[in-house]
Amino acid sequence: MKKHIIDFVINENRHIHAIYSLLILSPKSGEKLPKMKPGQFVQIAIDGSKTTFLRRPISINFVDYANNQLWLLVRKAGDGTSRLIDMKAGDTLNIILPLGNGFTIPNNKEAKLLLAGGGVGIAPMLYLGQVLKENGFAPQFLIGARSASDLLELEQLKSIGEVHISTEDGSMGEKGLVTTNSVLKNDVDLIYCCGPAPMMKAVAKVAKEINADCEVSLENMMACGVGACLCCVENTVKGNVCVCTEGPVFNINQLTW
Amino acid sequence: MVNLNVNIGKLALKNPVLTASGTFGYGEEFSDFIDLNRLGGFIVKGTTINHREGNPYPRMVETPSGMLNAVGLQNKGVDYFIDQIYPRIKDVDSQIVVNVSGASIDDYVAVCEKLAPLDKINAIEVNISCPNVKQGGMAFGTNAAGAAQVTKAVREAFPKTLIVKLSPNVTDITEIARAVEAEGADSVSLINTLLGMAIDVERRKPYLSTITGGLSGAAVRPVAVRMVWQVAKAVNIPVIGLGGIMNGRDAIEFMLAGATAIEVGTANFIDPTVTVKIVDYMNEYCERHGIKDINEIIGQI
């Protein structure tokens, strides 16, 4: 897929949580958004930071082609992402997109698909769910957070498919972790997973136990995002490969977990 | 019309802008963003005789105005380059320079012998300065005798333009530069990364799997400009300057210090179009200063 460098203008910055913002952007020039696949990501230039100078990789949360808008869900981590969260409507961002491979869309429309997200890992699942639904699948979501107030984009997810919830304090859904949720006792053909590494590893283990296929989205530290610097490598059955080009989505059978 | 043509030994460049090895892949990675034909040339990823997996992740950490990397020369080996990559990139209308690395003199020579017959490869850049490999690499580049030994052997194996890439991690870089010049190098490029280190104080662990790594980015620029200036005064062969060039202004700074051509490295990660912007800036700068030929500004300081 051709990669583009586009100046975006922020239409809206929704501060949906103390440490999360939903940025809704559109190309400044009015040009049409390029085609993007669920699971792909973008690289955002951060201006004026004292501590960071590389771009920040952020996964694609949703693409609203009808309104020519890109949604990015940003978690405050360091100075770079803090600057993104502090941005206001009308501000501009220089973005390279789309990057990476994206999730696999199965051929079998009857496949039982579970989209598992933890924390900001829910970000790629919204767009993935939408695309799966448009392709005739009935995706179900499994989302986990510390508490009910930490669940992101719940209403949007519910509009696409059934949502199973795990909270650590039991304030919504089942008390416990994503991996202890009873939905995993059901028949599942393919689990898509994005979240903190320990969560993805635990989900991958469950997937193997229940004989489900599983794809995870990794977020290794990146510099270039286009396969030039070889910094973001993951050790796979093929050796070290770039997460930015061969990933970020990997079938767990490719990984050495 | 400003003349931007420069020559590095027998290697003619349509402009002084090259890309630094390991920051531009094989050029293809950037073809969505820029017209590769507009560059003076690009220097492809460090190539070794055999496939190398490189160092374990994590290999990179950002530091103030810079980054540390410890990639460790991951590449698929020279045969893969010749069979798979070279045919895809050879028709580009700018120079392709292969960066060559080795763990022994024999390794360097073997890679050079394989590259020498390739029509489109008119130059190699011999890396005697990689800080991220246990054997070879910087070990050859940190003393004049080792640097001379590699240069002499490679000179015999590769008849076209020979550039030797120097390490800044030495007491006197001019001594190394003179040693490789004496053994027949056509040019020296400098600087490779500065050996550095960063620690995550919360986890009380180094950020890099290898503990130390190579520092690049704007942070190293004043050191690089100083070394280019010193080396340009010490040798009679053309110097290629690199180290923290982020824009056209920085590129001109290196040329004023004595560089005949420049390499853009880390800046490619932030702006994949930066190289062509630097070419445009050179034109604009020369016009603004009434300079007809960019060669006029080389080493004005």
Side-chain angles (χ1 to χ4, degrees):
Chain A
M1 289 172 90
K2 185 173 160 62
K3 303 174 187 82
H4 303 260
I5 305 181
I6 299 176
D7 282 327
F8 281 80
V9 61
I10 297 175
N11 303 140
E12 197 182 340
N13 180 356
R14 287 187 203 160
H15 296 279
I16 58 174
H17 183 278
I19 59 163
Y20 297 103
S21 249
L22 173 62
L23 297 176
I24 298 177
L25 314 117
S26 57
K28 202 176 174 183
S29 68
E31 69 186 284
K32 277 215 167 313
L33 286 171
K35 282 273 172 265
M36 291 170 252
K37 296 200 286 191
Q40 289 190 302
F41 67 98
V42 306
Q43 281 266 66
I44 308 181
I46 309 285
D47 289 331
S49 168
K50 286 193 177 112
T51 56
T52 65
F53 81 136
L54 295 172
R55 286 174 183 260
R56 286 291 171 274
I58 303 286
S59 68
I60 293 167
N61 178 219
F62 192 72
V63 188
D64 179 352
Y65 289 108
N67 292 303
N68 207 37
Q69 285 177 323
L70 173 70
W71 293 22
L72 301 174
L73 190 57
V74 181
R75 176 176 178 273
K76 189 175 185 165
D79 189 61
T81 46
S82 294
R83 277 168 188 276
L84 291 177
I85 282 178
D86 291 342
M87 299 206 89
K88 297 186 170 50
D91 290 346
T92 57
L93 286 172
N94 181 267
I95 299 181
I96 305 178
L97 78 173
L99 300 170
N101 59 352
F103 291 105
T104 306
I105 308 295
N107 294 321
N108 173 17
K109 302 278 182 205
E110 305 302 314
K112 295 183 181 68
L113 309 176
L114 188 64
L115 284 59
V120 77
I122 199 64
M125 297 305 163
L126 180 63
Y127 184 41
L128 175 62
Q130 175 69 23
V131 168
L132 288 168
K133 190 182 173 190
E134 284 168 6
N135 279 278
F137 293 92
Q140 295 195 17
F141 298 95
L142 168 58
I143 61 175
R146 195 158 297 149
S147 184
S149 61
D150 301 317
L151 292 164
L152 309 171
E153 301 188 321
L154 193 52
E155 292 313 308
Q156 286 98 329
L157 296 175
K158 280 180 175 170
S159 72
I160 294 169
E162 192 177 345
V163 182
H164 308 271
I165 295 166
S166 286
T167 52
E168 287 173 43
D169 65 0
S171 53
M172 192 182 284
E174 295 182 16
K175 184 172 165 44
L177 302 171
V178 159
T179 42
T180 60
N181 195 289
S182 59
V183 71
L184 289 167
K185 294 194 173 66
N186 299 347
D187 195 13
V188 180
D189 296 313
L190 171 57
I191 303 174
Y192 301 100
C193 183
C194 185
M199 174 227 169
M200 291 196 285
K201 285 182 181 176
V203 168
K205 190 161 169 265
V206 172
K208 282 177 181 166
E209 285 164 9
I210 65 172
N211 272 325
D213 209 359
C214 183
E215 289 187 345
V216 295
S217 177
L218 305 186
E219 50 176 0
N220 293 11
M221 291 261 287
M222 279 175 198
C224 72
V226 297
C229 70
L230 312 186
C231 289
C232 65
V233 294
E234 178 72 15
N235 187 22
T236 69
V237 294
K238 293 193 294 179
N240 285 329
V241 302
C242 286
V243 167
C244 67
T245 49
E246 310 256 329
V249 177
F250 290 89
N251 191 292
I252 55 169
N253 296 326
Q254 293 174 271
L255 301 174
T256 55
W257 289 1
Chain B
M1 192 64 189
V2 178
N3 174 53
L4 292 184
N5 300 346
V6 295
N7 292 308
I8 300 294
K10 295 181 287 292
L11 186 75
L13 302 177
K14 66 174 77 165
N15 63 59
V17 179
L18 303 165
T19 62
S21 174
T23 67
F24 205 66
Y26 296 96
E28 306 168 292
E29 291 84 348
F30 289 78
S31 59
D32 280 349
F33 307 119
I34 58 166
D35 177 2
L36 296 172
N37 300 324
R38 290 203 59 207
L39 304 179
F42 52 93
I43 304 183
V44 303
K45 177 75 195 160
T47 302
T48 50
I49 188 70
N50 296 313
H51 166 102
R52 280 182 61 96
E53 275 297 308
N55 292 318
Y57 179 86
R59 293 173 169 186
M60 188 277 293
V61 61
E62 276 189 86
T63 56
S65 296
M67 61 179 269
L68 288 166
N69 90 80
V71 171
L73 295 174
Q74 180 178 333
N75 80 101
K76 292 185 172 164
V78 66
D79 290 334
Y80 184 89
F81 171 77
I82 292 169
D83 297 339
Q84 304 293 324
I85 299 168
Y86 176 72
R88 293 202 304 258
I89 61 176
K90 68 176 174 46
D91 295 325
V92 69
D93 183 23
S94 64
Q95 299 286 359
I96 304 172
V97 179
V98 180
N99 181 282
V100 175
S101 238
S104 68
I105 303 261
D106 289 348
D107 281 2
Y108 281 101
V109 169
V111 175
C112 292
E113 283 174 346
K114 283 171 184 275
L115 294 171
L118 303 181
D119 287 340
K120 180 70 195 186
I121 307 300
N122 293 315
I124 56 167
E125 179 181 62
V126 176
N127 180 4
I128 55 167
S129 46
C130 179
N132 295 323
V133 291
K134 287 199 183 78
Q135 288 181 305
M138 198 167 82
F140 289 112
T142 49
N143 67 80
Q149 213 186 343
V150 176
T151 307
K152 185 177 189 325
V154 169
R155 179 71 287 175
E156 285 166 17
F158 191 81
K160 295 181 264 184
T161 299
L162 169 61
I163 304 160
V164 179
K165 187 169 184 178
L166 304 183
S167 171
N169 303 303
V170 294
T171 310
D172 180 4
I173 197 167
T174 63
E175 185 194 348
I176 315 281
R178 280 193 301 263
V180 305
E181 180 185 33
E183 292 299 342
D186 296 305
S187 170
V188 286
S189 57
L190 62 142
I191 59 175
N192 204 323
T193 54
L194 279 157
L195 193 61
M197 176 170 167
I199 300 165
D200 182 339
V201 298
E202 294 301 324
R203 288 167 55 245
R204 300 190 213 174
K205 288 196 165 109
Y207 281 107
L208 300 175
S209 69
T210 48
I211 305 177
T212 62
L215 180 65
S216 65
V220 310
R221 192 172 62 243
V223 177
V225 172
R226 182 264 294 178
M227 288 188 164
V228 164
W229 177 73
Q230 288 178 317
V231 168
K233 295 250 178 284
V235 297
N236 294 311
I237 50 177
V239 174
I240 301 173
L242 71 151
I245 295 175
M246 306 305 286
N247 53 44
R249 187 220 77 93
D250 300 346
I252 297 290
E253 184 180 18
F254 275 82
M255 296 191 74
L256 289 168
T260 299
I262 58 97
E263 297 179 18
V264 183
T266 304
N268 289 306
F269 302 157
I270 298 152
D271 180 0
T273 68
V274 68
T275 44
V276 294
K277 288 178 182 164
I278 291 174
V279 176
D280 291 341
Y281 182 92
M282 286 177 169
N283 266 311
E284 184 265 323
Y285 175 89
C286 288
E287 276 173 13
R288 185 154 48 85
H289 287 266
I291 297 159
K292 292 197 171 55
D293 183 340
I294 197 155
N295 287 280
E296 291 170 29
I297 71 162
I298 297 169
Q300 276 195 351
I301 305 299

